[in-house]
Amino acid sequence: MSHRYILKDNQPQLCEDLEEWAVWYGSTSHQIASDRIGDISVSTAFVGIAKGEVDGLPILFETLVSPSGEVRRYATYEQALEGHAQIKASVSPI
């Protein structure tokens, strides 16, 4: 079973009630950072469903780089923002 989470004050909170999760997920933006460098888009979001674990923490955030399709995943809000900034700094415009 996949665990569902909502984001409160930038902290993931386990949400066992599917209806509560669905209402929250459908009513809020999940994007926490977004940048465009030339034709390259770097977008980081809270995904709301655990994509595995690292060091006992659920992986709940991901950064997508378009058009390359590169994806990086993170367990915490802070890690996600740091990873987004690192990717943004390493991108060269097309």
Side-chain angles (χ1 to χ4, degrees):
M1 178 173 117
S2 295
H3 294 285
R4 295 174 299 274
Y5 292 80
I6 60 176
L7 198 59
K8 288 186 180 178
D9 299 321
N10 300 332
Q11 298 299 314
Q13 305 291 317
L14 184 62
C15 183
E16 295 181 3
D17 184 302
L18 177 60
E19 186 174 337
E20 177 187 353
W21 178 84
V23 167
W24 179 87
Y25 199 82
S27 66
T28 189
S29 173
H30 312 288
Q31 191 171 63
I32 62 171
S34 178
D35 289 284
R36 190 156 197 85
I37 302 97
D39 291 338
I40 299 172
S41 172
V42 181
S43 178
T44 300
F46 175 74
V47 294
I49 297 176
K51 301 275 190 173
E53 288 188 2
V54 62
D55 297 328
L57 296 173
I59 298 170
L60 295 167
F61 300 87
E62 68 181 22
T63 298
L64 174 62
V65 181
S66 296
S68 73
E70 177 184 356
V71 175
R72 292 193 192 169
R73 295 192 170 109
Y74 316 94
T76 70
Y77 183 88
E78 293 79 13
Q79 289 170 345
L81 287 180
E82 183 178 322
H84 180 95
Q86 289 173 353
I87 291 172
K88 179 183 166 188
S90 72
V91 169
S92 297
I94 296 175

